[in-house]
Amino acid sequence: MMRRKRFKNRISHILIAATMVSSLFGLNGCGNAAVAVPELKDPLSDTVSIRTADERIVGNISTLMGTVVPKSYPVYSRKNASVKEILVGVGDRVEEGDTIAVITLGNGTEEGNRIRAELASLDREKTMNNAVTEAEIERLEYEQKVEEAAGDEGAAAEKANAIRIAEENLRYENALNDSQRSSANTGLKNLNDSSGTVKLTAAHSGYVTFVKDVTRENILGQYENVAVISDYDDLYIETDEVNLKDYKYKDYKSKWTTIGGREAELKEYEYTNEETAFSLSVEKNPPMAFSVKGAVLTPGADLVLYFMEEEKIPCLAVGNDSIIREGSDAFVYIENENGNVKTKVETGRNDGLYTEILSGISKGDKVIYTNRAVTPKNYSIFEAKKATYTEACETDMLSIANPYYDIYTTDCDGVYQKVRAEGDVEKGDELFRVESSVKSSDVEAARLAIANLDNARNKEVKDYDARKAELQEIINRGDRYNPETMASDTDAIHEYMYSTEIAAASLKMLEAEEVFNAAEYAAERKLLVDEYNRLKKGTGKADGLSNYIVTAKEGGTVSYLKYKNEERVEKNGFVMTVEKPGSDEENTRILALVTGKAGLSVSPIMSAKPGNEVVITKNGRKWKGRCIGKNGEERKYMLFTRDGKPCTTFSKPFSRNIEKQFYVEIDGRVSGEDLEGARLSFNGMEIRDVISVPNSVIRTETDQLTGTEKNYVWKMVEGDVVKEYVKIYKTRTNVEETLVLCGIEAGDRLLK
């Protein structure tokens, strides 16, 4: 402080004023008109101050906030569908190929069942044809031997030809069967692509971090995720501030972040050209993502991402408030033993606050700058250190998670009959009834179809039994052919020679046909019975209500009823979901909700991220855990290639009128009673190894003409108080510390 006073006394007020005006407005010797001096928040000062010329990074540094996330693999449908079953919950470990969900595409279930029944019938038909033909050829061979024994060469030749025809017919029938099977399989595949029941499987092993909320509806949109699987062994950095289309730093020469106290180079996540072109064409662009070289990432960690157009190389620089422009020349004032010396300098790059000096002065020179802010007179010293910057958040909206779902639909059109309210249910509890609108004549027609099929089958069985008895009688009486007495009797040869063998072959043919007919009858009858039972559902009464009763498959909670009593429902329509708890595991999964207050939206950071640590407290008790999953974001797309095709998917937010929702897993067992009145705390923002200073250290000046704000600190340098401009992170919650992105370093001594 004394040094500045001595220096000030050596300079005339005229020189001070000239220096200040020249520095601020770049006046030259051509008599330019004066410009009004803008007002500053801090009081004006008529002093000048000194900075020591030093090396620093000069360049416009842009920043983004990033988060370490695991690589994720969505489970989705390419077409609109309804979710029939979800087999996993948030926090589950799954393996590649595991079934994650079962969905129904379109309304082709009945057609799919018909085609599958046709395929089963073709299988049975092929088996029968092969067995019948084999027995037929066996019979014809014996008959050929009979003709040969009788000396009828023409008849024997006819039998040989009949064998060839049977063999050729079998080849044709099998070829026709294969063609019909191929056509049916193609039809089934096409049906499965647009309708029918489809299993969705895991494309990768990992942990489930998102499951679609089906408490209020089970409709799955085109390319909507029913679940997301994350691999915590494959981490990268993602920023929600820009997406692939908005990103503008690709050609910047310097991109870095700080991890573990050391700088790490950033590299853009490499999407393929096909993926990028597709994403841009459909305007469904994913958040910008990065990888880092030689750094260990921690899931859920927040990072500051830095971007600079130039190479990040320190250079000799002075503040712009030290430079005087006279035409094309630049000057600074240097303090030395001769007073202040006007010195011509050659300048380089300029970032709006500092200018690179290529020649004219040296590192360590004392350079004058104009100081329009009053230097604090009463202050204490704060030494900047690398620390962890946090923005703490909490919520008291907690409940034991029910991560699994049983989805209930109705098998018929009709009227919904409410039999319970929302709340807990046990296995077997009645959930709802539906009174069908099917006509009694339709039910009777279905019953008659079964009766007619049964009558036809009964006649078929009687005919089979009679024919089988005839053949069995021939087989039982044995071979009656006597070559000594019948060798020349052609009638006896035809009647008795190989009669047992021929009857046995005919019986094989008859039995093969019966096996086929019995299986066909059973399959057709099942379809007719299923249709009859479906039509009959809800057409009868029990205690004044429909006898179509739907009961709980397992215990759980009904949190939402879609229909009011006596409302119309449609066949296969969604009715309700029962949320089910997990198995009795060592740890407890908890659902945390965050909602806004007084109509205000919730801050983006008011949600824990997978991997974040959390703490639950109540009356001095404490439980620790971690976030295992979070709510979906409909406008946040995932870009990837699956089955050779690029696509983008999204995760729809939970439909519970809650802005933020996430799942946590607590170490140990926690009960619902424990959660009553408890609070869950987490860091919505947590950035390690950064400069974090008390708010009182940061000051602001505003140019009233342009509205431009600049943040700065007072820094103690070799006994001098120096004004240093800084870039800070604009907080989204009330905090006592300010995150300084650039401008000061650990060890700097700051005034507060």
Side-chain angles (χ1 to χ4, degrees):
M1 296 294 290
M2 292 299 296
R3 186 175 186 176
R4 179 177 295 106
K5 289 180 180 179
R6 290 197 300 271
F7 177 63
K8 177 182 176 183
N9 291 336
R10 292 202 302 264
I11 304 176
S12 69
H13 291 289
I14 296 175
L15 178 56
I16 294 171
T19 303
M20 290 170 56
V21 174
S22 298
S23 174
L24 286 171
F25 305 109
L27 298 182
N28 57 31
C30 300
N32 290 357
V35 180
V37 178
E39 296 180 4
L40 302 177
K41 282 186 176 180
D42 289 332
L44 294 182
S45 168
D46 60 353
T47 65
V48 293
S49 302
I50 295 174
R51 288 194 193 99
T52 301
D54 203 352
E55 291 187 344
R56 66 169 64 239
I57 301 298
V58 177
N60 290 305
I61 298 177
S62 300
T63 61
L64 297 172
M65 303 308 297
T67 302
V68 178
V69 298
K71 187 170 182 179
S72 296
Y73 299 83
V75 180
Y76 65 99
S77 171
R78 293 181 182 272
K79 298 181 179 295
N80 294 326
S82 58
V83 182
K84 185 176 181 181
E85 191 175 10
I86 300 178
L87 304 176
V88 299
V90 172
D92 286 357
R93 169 77 188 185
V94 299
E95 302 299 326
E96 181 178 348
D98 286 352
T99 299
I100 303 302
V102 179
I103 62 173
T104 300
L105 300 174
N107 296 312
T109 301
E110 293 178 4
E111 176 65 11
N113 290 339
R114 185 197 66 77
I115 295 177
R116 280 184 281 272
E118 179 185 346
L119 285 168
S121 178
L122 287 170
D123 282 340
R124 293 190 293 268
E125 183 182 59
K126 189 172 186 178
T127 299
M128 179 197 69
N129 286 338
N130 284 317
V132 167
T133 301
E134 182 182 349
E136 182 184 13
I137 291 173
E138 181 181 347
R139 186 191 68 186
L140 287 170
E141 287 174 342
Y142 281 115
E143 290 178 350
Q144 182 184 7
K145 290 179 181 181
V146 169
E147 299 299 343
E148 289 172 349
D152 191 339
E153 295 181 358
E158 288 180 2
K159 297 297 182 182
N161 187 54
I163 291 173
R164 289 192 294 272
I165 291 174
E167 291 173 339
E168 180 59 30
N169 285 342
L170 180 62
R171 283 192 293 269
Y172 173 78
E173 287 170 352
N174 283 343
L176 179 61
N177 186 285
D178 290 341
S179 176
Q180 290 172 327
R181 281 182 54 81
S182 176
S183 177
N185 277 318
T186 299
L188 186 61
K189 181 181 183 303
N190 292 336
L191 185 66
N192 286 340
D193 287 343
S194 60
S195 61
T197 300
V198 178
K199 290 182 178 180
L200 301 180
T201 59
H204 193 84
S205 300
Y207 289 89
V208 178
T209 52
F210 169 83
V211 169
K212 176 181 171 62
D213 176 26
V214 290
T215 55
R216 299 196 174 202
E217 51 98 25
N218 68 333
I219 301 302
L220 188 67
Q222 189 175 22
Y223 292 101
E224 179 188 349
N225 297 328
V226 68
V228 173
I229 299 165
S230 299
D231 182 357
Y232 284 93
D233 293 326
D234 188 358
L235 304 174
Y236 64 98
I237 303 169
E238 184 178 87
T239 176
D240 289 334
E241 295 187 15
V242 295
N243 60 34
L244 183 63
K245 179 182 179 181
D246 300 331
Y247 181 66
K248 59 184 179 182
Y249 306 126
K250 183 175 178 58
D251 296 327
Y252 277 36
K253 296 179 180 178
S254 302
K255 308 164 194 174
W256 73 98
T257 188
T258 300
I259 301 174
R262 303 179 63 180
E263 286 189 3
E265 180 184 354
L266 290 175
K267 185 178 181 181
E268 288 88 353
Y269 187 90
E270 294 184 357
Y271 290 107
T272 66
N273 292 335
E274 291 79 8
E275 288 171 340
T276 302
F278 173 78
S279 175
L280 294 174
S281 66
V282 297
E283 294 189 355
K284 295 179 179 179
N285 299 290
M288 197 59 206
F290 307 88
S291 60
V292 291
K293 296 180 179 179
V296 178
L297 298 175
T298 302
D302 296 303
L303 299 170
V304 184
L305 314 181
Y306 297 90
F307 306 88
M308 195 169 78
E309 196 167 2
E310 305 85 358
E311 293 287 353
K312 184 174 176 284
I313 301 175
C315 61
L316 183 64
V318 300
N320 289 352
D321 48 9
S322 292
I323 295 179
I324 305 166
R325 298 286 180 180
E326 295 182 1
S328 59
D329 295 330
F331 299 88
V332 298
Y333 279 92
I334 303 296
E335 180 199 23
N336 58 27
E337 62 277 4
N338 299 320
N340 61 308
V341 178
K342 185 178 181 182
T343 305
K344 184 177 180 179
V345 293
E346 182 183 359
T347 60
R349 69 179 95 170
N350 179 348
D351 62 13
L353 296 175
Y354 298 94
T355 297
E356 179 184 14
I357 302 299
L358 302 175
S359 64
I361 64 173
S362 302
K363 181 178 179 180
D365 284 348
K366 306 297 183 181
V367 181
I368 299 171
Y369 72 95
T370 57
N371 178 17
R372 302 187 60 80
V374 175
T375 305
K377 293 181 173 58
N378 299 313
Y379 57 83
S380 59
I381 297 295
F382 173 83
E383 183 175 334
K385 296 178 181 179
K386 286 192 173 180
T388 297
Y389 172 81
T390 61
E391 293 189 37
C393 305
E394 66 175 23
T395 181
D396 57 2
M397 300 174 65
L398 308 173
S399 64
I400 300 295
N402 290 315
Y404 304 101
Y405 299 115
D406 276 336
I407 300 169
Y408 294 89
T409 58
T410 174
D411 288 344
C412 62
D413 297 316
V415 176
Y416 173 78
Q417 293 180 330
K418 179 179 177 181
V419 296
R420 67 162 297 106
E422 299 171 0
D424 294 337
V425 297
E426 299 293 334
K427 180 178 180 180
D429 283 355
E430 189 173 326
L431 297 178
F432 64 91
R433 301 187 182 202
V434 175
E435 184 177 348
S436 175
S437 56
V438 174
K439 296 178 181 178
S440 58
S441 58
D442 293 337
V443 178
E444 179 62 15
R447 188 193 66 79
L448 288 175
I450 298 172
N452 291 336
L453 182 69
D454 289 342
N455 291 333
R457 175 58 182 163
N458 289 334
K459 182 179 183 304
E460 189 176 62
V461 170
K462 288 180 180 179
D463 292 343
Y464 164 75
D465 289 341
R467 178 58 181 152
K468 180 179 179 180
E470 293 174 0
L471 293 172
Q472 194 65 53
E473 182 181 356
I474 297 173
I475 295 170
N476 291 340
R477 71 191 180 194
D479 189 0
R480 300 175 63 190
Y481 175 69
N482 186 343
E484 294 181 359
T485 60
M486 304 177 184
S488 59
D489 187 345
T490 57
D491 290 338
I493 290 173
H494 282 99
E495 183 176 354
Y496 297 112
M497 190 176 188
Y498 298 120
S499 61
T500 301
E501 289 82 354
I502 291 172
S506 297
L507 182 58
K508 288 180 183 178
M509 295 172 60
L510 183 67
E511 289 176 337
E513 290 172 346
E514 167 59 16
V515 169
F516 172 76
N517 291 335
E520 287 289 287
Y521 162 74
E524 186 175 357
R525 192 178 196 282
K526 183 180 184 305
L527 292 176
L528 291 176
V529 169
D530 287 347
E531 175 64 7
Y532 172 69
N533 289 334
R534 186 189 67 80
L535 291 173
K536 193 173 64 171
K537 280 185 177 181
T539 57
K541 295 286 185 180
D543 299 327
L545 295 174
S546 166
N547 64 348
Y548 173 27
I549 306 170
V550 177
T551 59
K553 305 170 190 175
E554 294 184 44
T557 302
V558 178
S559 60
Y560 172 75
L561 297 178
K562 181 175 181 179
Y563 295 101
K564 295 179 181 178
N565 194 39
E566 300 298 324
E567 281 192 326
R568 296 285 305 174
V569 295
E570 295 182 356
K571 176 185 174 183
N572 298 323
F574 171 81
V575 178
M576 67 173 61
T577 298
V578 173
E579 300 175 71
K580 301 183 296 182
S583 59
D584 188 17
E585 298 175 340
E586 181 179 350
N587 298 331
T588 306
R589 299 183 205 180
I590 291 175
L591 180 63
L593 308 176
V594 182
T595 186
K597 295 180 180 179
L600 299 177
S601 61
V602 176
S603 167
I605 69 168
M606 289 293 291
S607 175
K609 301 173 286 291
N612 283 164
E613 294 181 353
V614 301
V615 176
I616 294 178
T617 55
K618 178 183 177 182
N619 299 332
R621 301 177 66 190
K622 182 181 294 186
W623 297 270
K624 293 184 178 180
R626 69 213 56 83
C627 177
I628 58 174
K630 60 180 294 188
N631 201 354
E633 298 176 61
E634 197 158 2
R635 302 297 298 175
K636 185 175 181 178
Y637 297 102
M638 303 173 69
L639 174 63
F640 54 93
T641 296
R642 187 76 57 84
D643 299 328
K645 296 181 180 179
C647 60
T648 57
T649 65
F650 65 95
S651 298
K652 193 172 181 179
F654 298 163
S655 55
R656 306 187 191 188
N657 299 321
I658 300 295
E659 292 192 50
K660 301 294 179 182
Q661 178 167 315
F662 55 94
Y663 285 92
V664 300
E665 185 175 73
I666 298 300
D667 298 329
R669 300 302 300 167
V670 179
S671 68
E673 185 178 349
D674 290 331
L675 296 181
E676 292 180 7
R679 303 193 73 84
L680 183 143
S681 303
F682 61 95
N683 287 327
M685 179 72 71
E686 181 175 340
I687 310 176
R688 300 176 182 178
D689 301 308
V690 291
I691 303 297
S692 180
V693 302
N695 293 342
S696 59
V697 170
I698 304 298
R699 301 165 189 271
T700 304
E701 65 181 25
T702 303
D703 187 324
Q704 298 295 329
L705 293 180
T706 64
T708 303
E709 282 192 351
K710 295 180 183 178
N711 297 109
Y712 66 93
V713 298
W714 294 111
K715 183 167 71 170
M716 184 70 72
V717 181
E718 297 180 356
D720 287 330
V721 177
V722 178
K723 186 180 185 181
E724 184 78 30
Y725 289 102
V726 294
K727 183 173 183 177
I728 67 170
Y729 168 67
K730 299 293 186 181
T731 62
R732 288 175 280 191
T733 58
N734 294 325
V735 291
E736 296 179 354
E737 297 274 322
T738 298
L739 171 60
V740 180
L741 302 175
C742 53
I744 56 177
E745 299 178 355
D748 285 348
R749 302 174 69 230
L750 311 174
L751 277 59
K752 71 170 184 176

